[in-house]
Amino acid sequence: YSIVSTDEDALKISSLGLHNGHSPLTQQTLSGACMRGEEGGECPGSDEGRGVLSLRVTNEPNVHNSCRASPSCRLGLDLGTGRLRSRFVKKNGQCNVVFNNMEDKPRRYLADIFTTCVDIRWRYLLLIFTTTFLLSWLLFGLVFWGVALAHGDFNLRIPVKEGDPRSNVEKGKDEWRPCILHIQGFIGAFLFSIETQTTIGYGFRCVTEECPVAVVTVVVQSIVGCIIDSFMIGTIMAKMVRPKKRAQTLLFSHHAVIALRDGKLCLMWRLGNMRKSHIVEAHVRAQLIKPHVTAEGEYLPLEQTDIDVGYDDGLDRLFLVSPLVVVHEINKNSPLYKMSRTDLQTEDFEIVVILEGMVEATAMTTQARSSYLSKEIMWGHRFEPVVFEKGDRYQVDYSRFHKTYEVPSTPHCSARELSQMMGRGGQSSSSSSSYSRSPSPFAPRAARRLLGPHSPSAFCYENEVALCCGDDEDEEDV
């Protein structure tokens, strides 16, 4: 989101189309000038006393002269072309975020080197793994080579023959011994370093008692080798068993749907677990992300609003043995309460859905994520059933996991308008004595009238209508 300062004390935002309760426009300008007007009066559509920015359509940025005198009116927001927004969270769960201009990033990442090694790619981890061992072998190989060189292990010594007068002198002295046996140069020292750290022990090269420095070097290398082995093995194991890959077998439906459930408009999406191992303590949550301008003119490019999926009632905790449909009731507390089908087609927002729980095999917490743009929410649809009883077992047909079917009886109005209409209908029915019981939402005549043209998935809706109509007829016979 590029925010660039311009002349005339204006702030141009070339980014998302801003829909703060308004329909999207190709080029929009939010100007604070209309809060007071040129002569101190109000502009049409403004809210008195609340400092609400009014929305007007212009082809070029427009800044009123009367606004420049007032600090609260100096903000002009010119929104660029109404292109579709980029995903904040991709369908595979990756966050579409890049961090730039981080202060002391290398130092901070090295301070938590274990997490850094676990998070990096496998190719880099294997490169670090190989480089660490090679450097340690080379370092201690150089130390052993230096000790042997200082002691004179590489000096050429001529063997003394028997009968030579010098042999009697040599016998009177202690026999000379090298620091490290069978080392003739740096290659031999490097091989001895590898044998020491990896505890290979061929039995050919070994340290003698002549050089205490060589003995101390062997002890230090053994300790350092154990530390390197522990760190690298622990990092590789943590990277292999981390629960991030467990999310690959947790499915989210390609689309979310909005339809009536128990007489209320609900936003729904489907979750599934492809493994037989369970997700322990699984719970789900959702966030709505969209740009927003506050009453003071502050622009929030990614405002997050919580979407209730039954936290207070415990409905967010799932027993995810078979695919389940997560339901968000669109009520007064929902950010979708004032949104109709027409608004859904024009709004620009993103709903991020998150599933969290513990992997049964490792007891480690895993998280699976996905998102739905406004164009991926299907109004007036329901998910096709995927669980069928066959014999004494329940079978899950994952070929139907992403399929939906249309429900023509779904109202096109918003949940607020639907609630108002139901309230007026309830008052009229209570005033009439002829209607002693509330009518079914699927009355036979209304159901026949709402039946739309046949589609390949229309059988699901027709079965629902037939079932409800049959229940009404049974009640009438009684």
Side-chain angles (χ1 to χ4, degrees):
Y1 306 97
S2 59
I3 302 178
V4 183
S5 299
T6 61
D7 298 330
E8 304 295 341
D9 294 330
L11 190 68
K12 297 184 67 176
I13 300 180
S14 303
S15 175
L16 308 177
L18 181 65
H19 316 306
N20 187 16
H22 304 278
S23 60
L25 301 172
T26 303
Q27 285 190 333
Q28 308 173 41
T29 300
L30 282 175
S31 176
C34 289
M35 288 189 294
R36 297 185 178 182
E38 297 184 357
E39 300 297 335
E42 292 183 329
C43 287
S46 63
D47 294 341
E48 182 180 359
R50 291 189 293 179
V52 179
L53 300 177
S54 62
L55 186 67
R56 296 179 297 103
V57 183
T58 59
N59 293 327
E60 296 181 355
N62 186 8
V63 180
H64 289 265
N65 295 328
S66 59
C67 275
R68 295 169 184 165
S70 174
S72 62
C73 295
R74 286 185 174 183
L75 183 62
L77 300 181
D78 181 21
L79 303 181
T81 57
R83 63 179 180 87
L84 293 177
R85 72 191 312 273
S86 300
R87 286 185 181 275
F88 188 63
V89 177
K90 298 180 181 180
K91 296 296 284 185
N92 59 2
Q94 295 181 355
C95 296
N96 190 22
V97 178
V98 178
F99 300 105
N100 295 321
N101 302 323
M102 297 176 61
E103 185 179 0
D104 295 336
K105 179 179 178 180
R107 182 183 62 82
R108 295 176 184 272
Y109 273 58
L110 289 176
D112 188 11
I113 186 64
F114 183 80
T115 304
T116 303
C117 291
V118 172
D119 289 342
I120 61 177
R121 296 180 179 271
W122 274 105
R123 60 176 73 97
Y124 301 127
L125 179 61
L126 295 178
L127 179 62
I128 294 175
F129 182 86
T130 305
T131 304
T132 303
F133 278 107
L134 286 176
L135 290 177
S136 65
W137 294 338
L138 286 172
L139 175 62
F140 286 100
L142 285 172
V143 174
F144 286 126
W145 178 77
V147 171
L149 182 63
H151 188 259
D153 292 359
F154 304 142
N155 295 338
L156 181 62
R157 297 184 181 275
I158 301 174
V160 180
K161 297 180 180 180
E162 294 182 2
D164 193 328
R166 291 179 298 178
S167 62
N168 297 329
V169 179
E170 294 293 338
K171 290 180 180 178
K173 299 180 180 180
D174 294 335
E175 184 180 358
W176 181 90
R177 299 178 63 185
C179 285
I180 305 173
L181 297 177
H182 305 294
I183 288 182
Q184 306 301 327
F186 176 74
I187 299 300
F190 178 71
L191 292 175
F192 178 71
S193 174
I194 295 176
E195 294 173 13
T196 302
Q197 186 165 333
T198 57
T199 65
I200 294 177
Y202 290 120
F204 183 68
R205 301 178 181 88
C206 63
V207 177
T208 63
E209 300 176 0
E210 293 293 323
C211 299
V213 176
V215 177
V216 172
T217 305
V218 170
V219 174
V220 172
Q221 185 177 12
S222 300
I223 296 174
V224 172
C226 290
I227 295 174
I228 295 175
D229 291 342
S230 302
F231 180 83
M232 298 307 300
I233 293 174
T235 302
I236 291 177
M237 288 298 298
K239 192 172 182 65
M240 290 177 62
V241 302
R242 61 179 179 168
K244 183 177 180 179
K245 298 300 181 182
R246 181 63 174 89
Q248 302 297 324
T249 53
L250 298 174
L251 297 181
F252 292 87
S253 57
H254 292 162
H255 295 85
V257 299
I258 293 180
L260 286 174
R261 175 168 284 196
D262 295 329
K264 299 177 181 178
L265 278 177
C266 297
L267 171 69
M268 295 172 281
W269 65 91
R270 179 177 274 168
L271 296 174
N273 180 15
M274 299 182 65
R275 290 188 181 272
K276 290 186 178 181
S277 59
H278 298 171
I279 298 295
V280 184
E281 294 293 333
H283 57 279
V284 65
R285 53 194 179 96
Q287 297 279 336
L288 184 138
I289 300 177
K290 64 181 298 185
H292 176 71
V293 173
T294 63
E296 296 77 17
E298 180 185 4
Y299 177 68
L300 307 177
L302 295 172
E303 186 192 35
Q304 300 184 14
T305 305
D306 186 65
I307 294 180
D308 184 24
V309 290
Y311 176 80
D312 295 334
D313 300 329
L315 300 178
D316 63 322
R317 295 186 287 273
L318 308 176
F319 182 48
L320 197 59
V321 178
S322 61
L324 298 176
V325 175
V326 181
V327 180
H328 161 64
E329 180 183 335
I330 306 178
N331 51 25
K332 294 181 179 179
N333 299 323
S334 172
L336 308 177
Y337 186 61
K338 300 178 181 179
M339 189 176 301
S340 63
R341 179 172 183 173
T342 305
D343 297 333
L344 179 65
Q345 295 173 353
T346 57
E347 282 285 346
D348 187 10
F349 61 86
E350 180 178 358
I351 295 178
V352 178
V353 293
I354 304 171
L355 173 66
E356 295 178 331
M358 292 189 300
V359 180
E360 188 178 31
T362 61
M364 299 179 69
T365 303
T366 184
Q367 184 182 89
R369 300 178 293 267
S370 187
S371 67
Y372 301 102
L373 300 178
S374 58
K375 64 180 181 179
E376 296 173 340
I377 300 177
M378 306 176 68
W379 190 287
H381 282 248
R382 291 198 187 106
F383 289 106
E384 291 189 5
V386 295
V387 181
F388 304 94
E389 186 176 3
K390 186 176 182 180
D392 59 344
R393 306 186 70 178
Y394 293 93
Q395 295 188 357
V396 178
D397 184 7
Y398 271 98
S399 64
R400 298 174 176 268
F401 184 84
H402 302 287
K403 294 182 178 180
T404 63
Y405 63 94
E406 187 177 1
V407 183
S409 61
T410 305
H412 294 184
C413 61
S414 64
R416 182 181 67 173
E417 296 172 348
L418 179 62
S419 177
Q420 294 174 353
M421 289 188 295
M422 293 180 64
R424 291 194 296 266
Q427 294 177 358
S428 60
S429 61
S430 61
S431 61
S432 176
S433 60
S434 59
Y435 295 93
S436 59
R437 59 184 179 90
S438 61
S440 172
F442 290 99
R445 295 180 181 177
R448 297 189 187 97
R449 184 173 62 254
L450 290 173
L451 277 175
H454 276 272
S455 63
S457 60
F459 71 96
C460 294
Y461 176 69
E462 293 177 359
N463 290 339
E464 290 183 4
V465 174
L467 179 62
C468 294
C469 293
D471 294 341
D472 295 339
E473 293 175 358
D474 293 340
E475 293 177 1
E476 292 176 359
D477 293 341
V478 174

